[in-house]
Amino acid sequence: MAILIGIVLISVSGFVVSLALYRWIVRLPQPSPSLTRISTLIKDGANVFLFREAKYLTRFCLSAALCILLLLPRPLFLDPSIENLYIAAAYLFGTVLSALCAVLGMQAATIANAKTADRARQSLASAFLCSFRGGSVMGIFVVCTSLSGITLLFFFTDDTSYLLAFSFGASSLALFAKAGGGIFTKTADISADLVGKVELGMAEDDYRNPAVIADNVGDNVGDVAGMGSDLFDSYVAALVASLVIALSLDASYAYLVLSYSAVGTFATILMVGSVRLKEGKSVTSALNRSTYGTSLLSLLGFALVTYLLDAPLALLFCTVLGLGVGSVIGIVTNHFTDDTHAPVRRVAASGKKGPAFSVLGGFSYGLLSTFPALVGIALCTLLSYRLAAPLGTGMGFFGVSLSSVGMLSIVGMVVSNDAYGPIVDNARGLAQMSSLGEETLARTDALDSAGNTVKAITKGFAIASAGLAVISLLGAFLAQIGMEAARLGLSAVQILDALSPSFLFGLLVGIGVPAVFSALLIQAVQDNACLMVEEIHHQFETIEGLKEGKAGVLPKYDTCIDLATKAALHRLIPAGLFTILMTLVVGFFGGYVAVSGFIIGNIACGLLLALLMSNTGGLWDNAKKWVEAGNEGGKHSDAHQAAVISDTIGDPFKDTAGPSLNTQITLVTLVSSLFASLFLRYSLF
């Protein structure tokens, strides 16, 4: 009981700090009328998108809750039970908390962007503090909401079905939030670049471009709201997997899991308040110091918790291993996506010979970048399993789950750094559109450049952590199968055989699902961008004086925002439904053995594609920025045109399909675990 109370107190302190940071940003001096006007357009557009998306997702979540009520843990029409109602309520609880993380983070970001641009007129350090604290509002809120929500659920019931339903709620909403935001932002980004940069040679955030405000709106709904829900989902999934496995072994291990998580949360809260930037120092170094500092504090806390709870040292090593591998994967991602390293510069240089060389070079480096990360995840899984396995039956997967908890222990700081990116990106656009001067623009460029680097690293971290979390969830699925089999009175559960027809059937179908899921999202971006390009052309042709920049003539920004919103929401549901329905079809067709293969195939293919698309897109993005900084011929050169085209291809890779695959593979495993009892009872084979 004392442990649970301590965890709740840490969560409450985090909420207080998050609120204090939000109030600090709100109380900063009001920016100039020009900045405020443009910032309000961005904020209103983001709110319109979230409001319309909420209506779509409310209907979906209520329908899903009704299905859960009727079917889980047993069909209501066969065995009426109050348990069905509780599981449906736990699912809705997860969706509500995930939505709260998205909404609060975006509100803070859309206030901080204008104030960051305004403070950039004074100094780089002042602007950095505003943008970082704006991101930290969501970072702290995400981790505290995850931890407190699961702790409260665990306090009232230790039934694993409720925990899995809660995680399923977080995952289903995160999938649609990330996919919907990704479709919106890349629809606007691609359209603005193709017409503004490639056709007309306009600057990045030229006010004449009708899609420029929609592009800035997309940064918030995709990279702030979407990523907040995404990492909330990964963190919850890792905790739930560990708790499910722990409860199948020994309930005392559940307190160890929650304590490790609380340590990471407390370390994040301490570090957020200490982050500063000294004038003349590197912004990227300041952000990296915050991450490494949080990791070090977490490491010390893990050791203390292990000692106080008298837990086996092997479990501490598993947790530390996950934390270390997460950092290494971030460093590898940085090598392939940062413009200070050879891959980005070589791709930028190859663009002088034509766009095809830029595309081929970036794609080949993207393929190379997947290998170190996959090896890191594989080694972490193998070593943590081997470390914990001697402690008893079932402890191997518990060790893997603890490594995912260790990796995600610093998720609060990761989210803070990730949300910082869109804030400074918006600030840079606001500075350009409000003509704040070259010095201010140079400062926001420095902030934005660091944001792009850190954003690429956080995406690599998010994918790696999702990979470990779903491997842990595979262990939770098998534990759930064992518990359900015992409850049904089955003497034994068939041992998984990698050569059985059912397993191979599930494996091959599982490999195909991430590819189809990605295709649906990329096609949505392509189709919607075509519509927006037509709208931009229409405005340039019909609004007299717009292309020439005549004083007082402005484009119809709202039309582009409305078009991107409707198009994104129209294509939002099919990809998510496809994932859920395929899992159920495989389960009821081939049983739990087929589902096990399906999960493994989905994890393997999903991780590969997610890493490939996120890293390739990040590399192309920074290659473009390297050229725009004056290298390889600078703006309007052949290398620049090739870089813009490559970046346009990479946009839906890195900001729509790639990050959404994190949640897709988590969702598959959670659906499988929730429906485990039904797969045991009812399947064709």
Side-chain angles (χ1 to χ4, degrees):
M1 179 62 73
I3 292 175
L4 295 180
I5 292 173
I7 292 170
V8 171
L9 289 176
I10 289 174
S11 297
V12 170
S13 68
F15 289 132
V16 171
V17 171
S18 185
L19 178 61
L21 291 174
Y22 182 81
R23 289 171 62 85
W24 181 85
I25 294 166
V26 170
R27 288 175 176 174
L28 289 174
Q30 193 68 15
S32 66
S34 173
L35 274 175
T36 302
R37 179 182 62 82
I38 301 171
S39 177
T40 301
L41 286 173
I42 296 170
K43 184 176 182 180
D44 290 347
N47 285 331
V48 165
F49 175 81
L50 280 191
F51 177 74
R52 292 185 183 176
E53 185 181 51
K55 291 197 294 185
Y56 272 77
L57 295 188
T58 297
R59 290 196 290 267
F60 171 82
C61 291
L62 289 176
S63 300
L66 179 61
C67 292
I68 291 171
L69 176 67
L70 294 174
L71 296 174
L72 299 175
R74 289 167 292 280
L76 197 63
F77 47 86
L78 296 178
D79 184 13
S81 171
I82 194 68
E83 261 190 285
N84 292 54
L85 179 62
Y86 292 155
I87 292 176
Y91 166 81
L92 290 174
F93 185 40
T95 63
V96 169
L97 291 189
S98 183
L100 276 177
C101 290
V103 170
L104 181 73
M106 202 195 70
Q107 293 302 317
T110 50
I111 294 172
N113 57 15
K115 298 194 174 183
T116 296
D118 187 55
R119 291 174 79 83
R121 300 164 73 178
Q122 305 168 26
S123 70
L124 184 65
S126 178
F128 170 80
L129 191 62
C130 178
S131 54
F132 179 78
R133 289 187 171 180
S136 297
V137 171
M138 185 170 73
I140 294 176
F141 190 79
V142 163
V143 71
C144 290
T145 303
S146 309
L147 184 59
S148 58
I150 287 179
T151 302
L152 289 173
L153 204 59
F154 178 76
F155 176 77
F156 287 110
T157 175
D158 58 0
D159 191 314
T160 56
S161 296
Y162 302 151
L163 294 171
L164 289 166
F166 175 81
S167 187
F168 177 45
S171 188
S172 60
L173 191 121
L175 178 68
F176 293 118
K178 188 60 190 170
I183 293 170
F184 181 104
T185 185
K186 292 305 109 180
T187 295
D189 193 2
I190 288 174
S191 306
D193 280 356
L194 285 178
V195 180
K197 284 187 177 182
V198 177
E199 289 186 26
L200 303 177
M202 291 180 173
E204 176 83 25
D205 292 294
D206 195 305
Y207 77 92
R208 294 172 293 170
N209 196 325
V212 69
I213 298 297
D215 186 11
N216 284 288
V217 169
D219 290 334
N220 292 287
V221 299
D223 289 335
V224 178
M227 185 58 82
S229 292
D230 180 14
L231 284 169
F232 174 84
D233 158 56
S234 293
Y235 191 43
V236 167
L239 286 178
V240 165
S242 298
L243 289 173
V244 169
I245 297 172
L247 291 171
S248 71
L249 300 169
D250 185 336
S252 64
Y253 287 132
Y255 294 97
L256 181 67
V257 172
L258 293 173
S259 298
Y260 280 157
S261 302
V263 162
T265 302
F266 189 61
T268 299
I269 295 169
L270 289 179
M271 280 304 300
V272 161
S274 66
V275 174
R276 296 287 189 280
L277 174 68
K278 294 181 180 178
E279 288 294 341
K281 298 295 183 181
S282 166
V283 179
T284 303
S285 296
L287 292 170
N288 287 338
R289 280 197 303 273
S290 69
T291 304
Y292 298 142
T294 306
S295 300
L296 180 59
L297 286 176
S298 298
L299 181 62
L300 297 173
F302 293 156
L304 180 61
V305 164
T306 305
Y307 172 76
L308 292 176
L309 296 183
D310 195 26
L313 277 177
L315 299 182
L316 170 63
F317 295 150
C318 292
T319 311
V320 173
L321 184 63
L323 183 60
V325 168
S327 300
V328 171
I329 289 174
I331 292 169
V332 171
T333 304
N334 182 60
H335 172 76
F336 283 99
T337 57
D338 189 354
D339 61 17
T340 60
H341 295 289
V344 169
R345 295 187 178 188
R346 286 175 181 168
V347 169
S350 69
K352 290 187 289 187
K353 299 175 183 177
F357 292 97
S358 180
V359 171
L360 289 172
F363 191 75
S364 62
Y365 274 120
L367 287 169
L368 283 174
S369 73
T370 65
F371 188 69
L374 289 172
V375 169
I377 296 169
L379 277 175
C380 187
T381 303
L382 176 64
L383 294 176
S384 55
Y385 188 97
R386 293 296 187 188
L387 281 168
L391 298 175
T393 304
M395 290 298 292
F397 267 116
F398 184 59
V400 176
S401 71
L402 282 182
S403 67
S404 69
V405 170
M407 185 180 286
L408 283 159
S409 61
I410 60 168
V411 71
M413 189 58 72
V414 171
V415 174
S416 300
N417 287 346
D418 194 81
Y420 157 90
I423 291 173
V424 295
D425 192 2
N426 274 195
R428 194 247 178 239
L430 290 167
Q432 169 114 12
M433 286 184 274
S434 299
S435 303
L436 297 185
E438 289 301 319
E439 189 176 3
T440 301
L441 202 58
R443 288 171 181 156
T444 55
D445 277 339
L447 294 171
D448 189 26
S449 176
N452 283 323
T453 300
V454 170
K455 189 165 69 171
I457 294 172
T458 56
K459 281 176 180 167
F461 176 91
I463 294 165
S465 59
L468 273 180
V470 292
I471 292 169
S472 305
L473 281 170
L474 174 60
F477 168 72
L478 296 175
Q480 194 75 359
I481 286 288
M483 288 187 283
E484 289 296 334
R487 192 175 301 166
L488 292 172
L490 300 178
S491 57
V493 177
Q494 179 184 344
I495 297 172
L496 297 183
D497 179 3
L499 295 179
S500 75
S502 294
F503 186 89
L504 289 173
F505 160 74
L507 179 73
L508 293 173
V509 176
I511 289 171
V513 166
V516 176
F517 176 80
S518 301
L520 291 172
L521 296 183
I522 293 172
Q523 283 178 351
V525 172
Q526 176 190 341
D527 294 345
N528 297 344
C530 287
L531 294 175
M532 187 170 285
V533 165
E534 291 178 8
E535 172 59 29
I536 296 170
H537 283 150
H538 175 72
Q539 291 198 30
F540 276 128
E541 291 166 4
T542 57
I543 300 177
E544 188 176 347
L546 177 61
K547 189 181 295 186
E548 295 77 18
K550 186 177 179 181
V553 177
L554 293 173
K556 298 176 182 177
Y557 298 123
D558 288 347
T559 304
C560 286
I561 294 172
D562 190 57
L563 188 154
T565 300
K566 289 178 179 177
L569 296 179
H570 177 67
R571 305 292 289 270
L572 177 62
I573 301 297
L577 275 181
F578 170 76
T579 294
I580 295 171
L581 291 176
M582 283 306 301
T583 308
L584 297 177
V585 167
V586 169
F588 288 122
F589 189 79
Y592 81 91
V593 175
V595 169
S596 301
F598 182 80
I599 293 171
I600 293 170
N602 190 70
I603 291 171
C605 183
L607 284 177
L608 175 67
L609 287 178
L611 287 164
L612 169 64
M613 289 192 283
S614 291
N615 293 350
T616 305
L619 187 153
W620 279 326
D621 188 15
N622 281 331
K624 178 194 70 175
K625 287 180 169 58
W626 172 251
V627 174
E628 289 177 344
N631 303 290
E632 308 299 343
K635 293 181 179 179
H636 311 305
S637 65
D638 290 342
H640 183 229
Q641 187 172 19
V644 171
I645 292 170
S646 300
D647 180 46
T648 303
I649 297 169
D651 275 337
F653 279 24
K654 68 180 172 61
D655 289 323
T656 308
S660 297
L661 280 167
N662 304 348
T663 314
Q664 185 268 333
I665 56 178
T666 305
L667 189 68
V668 161
T669 317
L670 286 167
V671 171
S672 303
S673 297
L674 268 175
F675 283 82
S677 61
L678 295 182
F679 295 156
L680 273 171
R681 286 184 176 92
Y682 315 107
S683 64
L684 185 59
F685 294 100

